[in-house]
């Protein structure tokens, strides 16, 4: 599939969704609600090993809630991570593939069940293969600091991501989602990798932000977006895994810095303590607040809106309701 045809898939979805599409919400949050336990560096990717049916169940819950895009369970799934669990390279590769297959199966079975219902309100969802940052693999909180140390350069980051990217692309998702990128270096590595591998499906690159103004590394988004803006392999940029009260200002900033589609899927507002591996309550958004802010985010120019950590299908139902109402 050529990049033009693939990009049309994304544009078609936006057209069908009335100009703004719904991304799903927190995967690990919902898996935990169903009893999964994640005291593990692999985080929700551990479910690929232990309980893949549960992942599929959660994908279906988000589709039911109105998600137009399913993000796969591969955020923290890496070959080195799986090897550290005692798996072989081949087993790790099969699990990465499985993360995409589970989402595709959920999407296909859900679409088969609703497409013939007169007046249904759903779009055929797209599957975005999640590629978490190098910091997510380290599982030491560095995806929120952006400090990878003096030994990490662009080539090391490309080598880290390359095999996983190839396997995920070969599993036939509709697009790639680079998530919680914390610095300019990794953004540049992602762009170069897409070019070098001649990836023919659309992609987005999302940063996290801890101050609502810059990338976690302290670098300006103007610097971080420089390489992205020059690439036709990246269709959208944005913010994920960030407190929701920062999103308005960040959309406004990104609108000034790029002509690409803008993606936002913030956390609920609770804060992750990377050292003690737990969520700390803070300025938290309930579903009603997500509902009222969704229309503002859309008006400011966001074209993909969803939720990240600690958001649930009911959050996504609220987001979907607002976007579907405003598109009619």
């Amino acid at each position: 599939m050529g990049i033009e045809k693939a990009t049309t898939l994304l544009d078609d979805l936006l057209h069908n969704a009335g100009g703004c599409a719904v991304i799903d919400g927190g995967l690990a949050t919902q898996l935990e609600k169903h009893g999964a336990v994640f005291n593990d560096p692999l985080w929700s990717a551990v479910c690929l090993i232990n309980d893949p049916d549960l992942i599929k169940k959660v994908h279906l819950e988000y589709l039911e809630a109105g998600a137009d895009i399913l993000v796969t369970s591969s955020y923290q799934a890496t070959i080195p991570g799986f090897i550290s669990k005692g798996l072989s390279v081949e087993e790790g590769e099969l699990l990465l593939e499985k993360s995409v297959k589970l989402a595709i199966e959920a999407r296909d079975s859900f679409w088969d069940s609703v497409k013939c219902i007169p007046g249904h309100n759903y779009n055929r969802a797209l599957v975005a293969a999640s590629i978490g940052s190098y910091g997510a693999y380290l599982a030491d909180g560095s995806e929120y600091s952006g400090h990878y140390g003096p030994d990490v350069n662009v080539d090391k980051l490309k080598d880290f991501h390359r095999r996983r990217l190839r396997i995920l692309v070969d599993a036939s998702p509709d697009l790639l989602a680079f998530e919680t990128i914390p610095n300019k270096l990794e953004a540049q590595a992602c762009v170069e990798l897409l070019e070098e591998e001649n990836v023919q499906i659309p992609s987005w690159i999302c940063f996290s932000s801890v101050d609502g103004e810059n990338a976690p590394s302290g670098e300006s988004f103007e610097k971080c977006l420089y390489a992205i803006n020059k690439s036709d392999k990246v269709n959208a940029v944005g913010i994920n895994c960030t407190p929701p009260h920062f999103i308005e200002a960040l959309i406004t900033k990104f609108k000034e810095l790029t002509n690409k589609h803008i993606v936002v899927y913030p956390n609920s507002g609770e804060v992750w303590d990377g050292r003690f591996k737990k969520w700390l309550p803070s300025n938290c958004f309930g579903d009603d607040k997500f509902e009222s802010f969704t229309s503002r985010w859309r008006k400011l120019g966001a074209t993909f809106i969803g939720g990240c950590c600690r958001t649930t299908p009911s959050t996504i139902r609220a987001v979907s309701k607002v976007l579907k109402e405003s598109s009619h």
Side-chain angles (χ1 to χ4, degrees):
M1 179 160 61
I3 192 88
E4 292 82 8
K5 187 178 172 195
T7 305
T8 308
L9 202 64
L10 213 51
D11 290 337
D12 285 350
L13 174 65
L14 282 172
H15 175 75
N16 294 337
C20 190
V22 183
I23 304 167
D24 63 8
L27 184 69
T29 307
Q30 196 61 10
L31 289 167
E32 284 177 319
K33 281 197 170 174
H34 290 303
V37 179
F38 303 130
N39 49 358
D40 193 290
L42 286 178
W43 199 39
S44 56
V46 82
C47 263
L48 283 167
I49 304 168
N50 297 340
D51 200 348
D53 286 346
L54 192 56
I55 293 174
K56 197 163 160 184
K57 177 178 179 167
V58 171
H59 284 325
L60 286 164
E61 288 172 335
Y62 277 117
L63 290 166
E64 187 79 45
D68 298 314
I69 294 179
L70 286 180
V71 180
T72 64
S73 51
S74 48
Y75 173 76
Q76 220 137 343
T78 63
I79 306 294
F82 286 133
I83 288 169
S84 71
K85 293 287 289 181
L87 297 171
S88 68
V89 172
E90 293 74 20
E91 286 169 326
E93 291 179 353
L94 283 170
L95 288 169
L96 276 172
E97 205 177 294
K98 184 185 258 187
S99 70
V100 177
K101 298 290 181 223
L102 288 168
I104 290 174
E105 285 168 16
R107 185 268 312 277
D108 290 348
S109 70
F110 181 77
W111 185 241
D112 285 345
S113 71
V114 298
K115 68 182 178 189
C116 298
I117 301 170
H120 77 81
N121 216 4
Y122 294 103
N123 300 305
R124 182 180 178 275
L126 300 183
V127 169
S130 168
I131 299 176
S133 61
Y134 180 62
Y137 153 67
L138 296 175
D140 62 358
S142 58
E143 72 264 50
Y144 304 115
S145 72
H147 303 313
Y148 288 165
D151 299 335
V152 177
N153 57 24
V154 166
D155 287 334
K156 179 163 183 173
L157 289 171
K158 284 194 292 192
D159 289 344
F160 167 74
H161 283 300
R162 193 180 306 273
R163 185 74 194 123
R164 174 168 57 158
L165 178 128
R166 283 179 183 165
I167 293 158
L168 290 171
V169 169
D170 286 348
S172 302
D174 300 302
L175 65 149
L176 295 177
F178 293 93
E179 302 187 295
T180 64
I181 302 300
N183 54 34
K184 177 184 172 225
L185 189 71
E186 193 159 18
Q188 186 185 334
C190 295
V191 170
E192 288 184 19
L193 196 55
L194 289 168
E195 302 283 352
E196 286 170 21
E197 296 295 319
N198 194 23
V199 171
Q200 295 293 306
I201 56 174
S203 67
W204 73 54
I205 295 179
C206 281
F207 297 86
S208 46
S209 178
V210 287
D211 64 1
E213 278 187 41
N214 302 300
S217 59
E219 294 163 307
S220 72
F221 282 119
E222 187 172 7
K223 281 184 181 164
C224 291
L225 290 176
Y226 182 72
I228 293 172
N229 281 333
K230 291 198 299 185
S231 172
D232 63 358
K233 299 279 188 194
V234 183
N235 305 76
V237 294
I239 297 287
N240 77 301
C241 215
T242 293
H245 49 276
F246 290 156
I247 295 297
E248 273 191 53
L250 287 166
I251 295 171
T252 305
K253 188 184 284 279
F254 275 52
K255 281 299 280 183
E256 290 167 5
L257 297 175
T258 188
N259 293 321
K260 295 186 184 290
H261 291 305
I262 291 176
V263 187
V264 293
Y265 48 119
N267 294 338
S268 67
E270 290 170 72
V271 176
W272 176 246
D273 184 329
R275 211 166 119 230
F276 293 105
K277 305 269 191 287
K278 64 177 186 175
W279 288 98
L280 306 172
S282 71
N283 185 7
C284 199
F285 268 39
D287 295 343
D288 53 339
K289 243 186 171 176
F290 253 91
E291 202 170 310
S292 60
F293 273 79
T294 292
S295 51
R296 281 159 72 170
W297 296 340
R298 184 200 164 116
K299 282 192 184 93
L300 287 168
T303 42
F304 297 94
I305 299 175
C308 202
C309 301
R310 312 301 279 175
T311 62
T312 67
S314 69
T315 317
I316 298 312
R317 193 168 282 111
V319 169
S320 176
K321 177 170 170 268
V322 169
L323 293 180
K324 289 204 162 88
E325 280 169 3
S326 59
S327 69
H328 289 133

